[in-house]
Amino acid sequence: VSQGSPAGGVYVHYPYCRHRCSYCNFVVATPKRIRHEAYRDAVLKELELRSVGFHGPARTLYFGGGTPSLWDIACLEEVISHVHATIGLREDAEITLEANPEDVDEVRCQSWLSAGINRLSLGVQSTRDSFLAAADRRHDEGKAIRAIETVCRAGFRSFSVDVMFGLEGQGAADWSTELDRILDFDIPHLSIYGLTVEPRTVLARQVERGRVLLPNDGVQHEMFTTTRHRLQKAGYDHYEVSSYARPGHRAQHNTGYWEWRPYLGLGAGAHGFMDSCRWQNVTRVSRYITTCLEGKLPTQSEENLSSETLAFERLMVGLRRLDGGVDLGSDFKLFETQLMAQEERGWIERHGTRVQVTDEGLRWMNALLLALMP
Ligand SMILES: C[S@@+](CC[C@H](N)C(=O)[O-])C[C@H]1O[C@@H](n2cnc3c(N)ncnc32)[C@H](O)[C@@H]1O
Ligand code: SF4
């Protein structure tokens, strides 16, 4: 590890999905034929180009998407071995794959393990047919449950399950039943997201036209609070607004983002961050592949973050951390007036230059973040 530079992570974006879910605005492509090898070659080329300035060995490697569980396992294995060979991976590195329930079976789990994947993040979203349909997902409740059971038995070092609340037709009682079902399994990490209506999605148009009516903010908030209480009681540590972990199972890759460690983003639409510079890759998959295979960097935009912007973003991200918040150090004075006002209101707590949200602040998180905008 080069001096003064914390060890970082590598993110690989795999953009292909079988179908685009109505709420999703991630960089996703749904072609009839997936270009497994061409995409692998492009990622390997980008890795070769970008690895030069990156201080290894990496602490984490994360395959996100899209649906990276669709990728030929031989391709995943090659990417892992090239990361080893170029920037290096720590011996204890966390290597995560996002998997959709449709792709999970015992044979695949064993192949992922042999390829070096030691953590799965399973996109269950709901364990009820009606809400899976409302969320426009392609798996059913049987598949969701079987996938969780299979992953529980497979022998991963850790795994996470993603669940969403605030789906169409879901009431507080439905959500409580969903939590019962999830808590029936021994899941080491849970990512629980309130459904957000992202611009330019099918869902956004449906909501606008009144075709879909989502639970209101009050109900969403009640679901969030119930989740927090129930999961804490069940032994989960609520360490970030959407993240719950059993002891020893916090997501190291995401924690790396929140600690502002450098990360190398590879793949269509991926972001990277190093030495105060943030960049984003081209989002069109065909263009990403062609550019890389021509030996050129697929950067679409890059930005050198000023020290003020970095300080502000550190505050925004830090307030979502519920395990001690963020120590702003000498940047504290930049936000002193706004922070004092929020402290008086009871929304944040302060110890010297360290700030953290209170339970009341957590209730009004969006308003709190808005109030801190410069
Ligand atoms: C982009 S997905 C990729 C993983 C996988 N393809 C899947 O769908 O499960 C990562 C996670 O983001 C969450 N997510 C995506 N769009 C969201 C939205 N509009 N509101 C809330 N959560 C969302 C979902 O819970 C999903 O599991
Ligand atoms: S939610 Fe997941 S499966 Fe659905 S389109 Fe987005 S990335 Fe693909």
Side-chain angles (χ1 to χ4, degrees):
V1 182
S2 95
Q3 285 201 338
S5 168
V10 179
Y11 174 81
V12 180
H13 190 77
Y14 181 83
Y16 300 112
C17 287
R18 292 183 177 83
H19 139 91
R20 183 187 277 277
C21 309
S22 61
Y23 57 85
C24 181
N25 76 341
F26 282 70
V27 173
V28 162
T30 54
K32 283 211 180 72
R33 277 193 46 228
I34 292 180
R35 300 171 66 191
H36 291 272
E37 280 83 19
Y39 195 74
R40 170 205 60 199
D41 293 343
V43 167
L44 293 182
K45 189 70 204 170
E46 191 191 0
L47 171 63
E48 184 191 316
L49 296 171
R50 291 209 193 270
S51 60
V52 181
F54 193 79
H55 310 297
R59 296 164 65 238
T60 59
L61 168 58
Y62 192 102
F63 292 94
T67 309
S69 51
L70 276 177
W71 212 354
D72 277 353
I73 299 178
C75 295
L76 282 171
E77 200 166 1
E78 273 182 78
V79 174
I80 297 173
S81 77
H82 276 72
V83 172
H84 263 295
T86 49
I87 56 188
L89 272 168
R90 273 177 26 177
E91 213 170 292
D92 61 347
E94 176 192 89
I95 307 182
T96 307
L97 175 81
E98 283 180 354
N100 282 27
E102 305 86 298
D103 297 323
V104 172
D105 60 34
E106 274 157 39
V107 175
R108 277 234 185 74
C109 284
Q110 291 317 310
S111 308
W112 286 326
L113 280 163
S114 321
I117 303 292
N118 54 30
R119 183 175 182 274
L120 278 198
S121 172
L122 186 62
V124 169
Q125 319 309 347
S126 173
T127 60
R128 290 266 301 275
D129 280 340
S130 53
F131 299 121
L132 283 167
D136 190 28
R137 295 293 296 208
R138 290 292 156 101
H139 62 275
D140 61 14
E141 108 179 26
K143 190 70 226 172
I145 302 282
R146 279 195 302 281
I148 301 177
E149 287 170 347
T150 306
V151 176
C152 282
R153 283 194 307 263
F156 289 94
R157 190 207 283 179
S158 192
F159 68 94
S160 180
V161 167
D162 286 5
V163 192
M164 290 197 291
F165 62 84
L167 301 173
E168 188 187 13
Q170 203 174 37
D174 299 311
W175 177 243
S176 186
T177 311
E178 182 75 79
L179 288 172
D180 290 338
R181 290 186 168 212
I182 292 292
L183 284 168
D184 260 351
F185 299 97
D186 191 16
I187 300 171
H189 187 281
L190 290 163
S191 293
I192 313 245
Y193 302 104
L195 175 67
T196 50
V197 180
E198 300 291 346
R200 292 180 298 280
T201 54
V202 170
L203 179 65
R205 283 195 294 281
Q206 291 171 327
V207 168
E208 234 165 68
R209 293 184 187 150
R211 299 220 174 107
V212 165
L213 188 66
L214 296 176
N216 64 33
D217 286 353
V219 175
Q220 277 237 16
H221 179 73
E222 191 183 334
M223 291 173 174
F224 174 81
T225 311
T226 309
T227 310
R228 174 170 165 82
H229 291 154
R230 295 275 307 274
L231 295 190
Q232 283 180 331
K233 214 167 129 203
Y236 288 90
D237 178 14
H238 191 187
Y239 70 107
E240 190 268 346
V241 173
S242 312
S243 316
Y244 297 83
R246 294 223 187 266
H249 289 279
R250 289 187 187 190
Q252 290 175 39
H253 186 78
N254 288 346
T255 305
Y257 294 144
W258 306 328
E259 289 175 348
W260 295 91
R261 291 171 184 272
Y263 61 92
L264 198 62
L266 305 172
H271 295 253
F273 173 76
M274 207 189 319
D275 300 331
S276 310
C277 177
R278 185 159 52 205
W279 72 89
Q280 189 188 4
N281 280 347
V282 293
T283 51
R284 261 204 29 225
V285 181
S286 53
R287 189 144 161 248
Y288 169 78
I289 294 178
T290 316
T291 310
C292 292
L293 295 185
E294 283 169 359
K296 292 189 276 208
L297 278 176
T299 312
Q300 176 169 281
S301 59
E302 59 189 345
E303 185 188 7
N304 266 309
L305 303 178
S306 67
S307 53
E308 288 79 18
T309 308
L310 264 175
F312 178 67
E313 293 201 3
R314 250 164 51 80
L315 172 64
M316 293 289 110
V317 170
L319 285 176
R320 292 180 59 91
R321 297 186 69 170
L322 309 177
D323 56 347
V326 55
D327 190 347
L328 294 169
S330 57
D331 291 332
F332 180 79
K333 57 182 183 310
L334 291 174
F335 312 106
E336 185 158 9
T337 323
Q338 297 101 302
L339 287 172
M340 299 292 246
Q342 301 312 319
E343 190 184 15
E344 252 168 57
R345 209 177 192 183
W347 286 8
I348 64 160
E349 236 167 48
R350 189 171 65 86
H351 308 279
T353 54
R354 176 174 287 283
V355 292
Q356 179 168 12
V357 287
T358 58
D359 274 357
E360 192 58 15
L362 196 52
R363 175 168 169 70
W364 302 107
M365 195 69 182
N366 290 339
L368 169 64
L369 297 181
L370 270 177
L372 291 171
M373 295 269 176

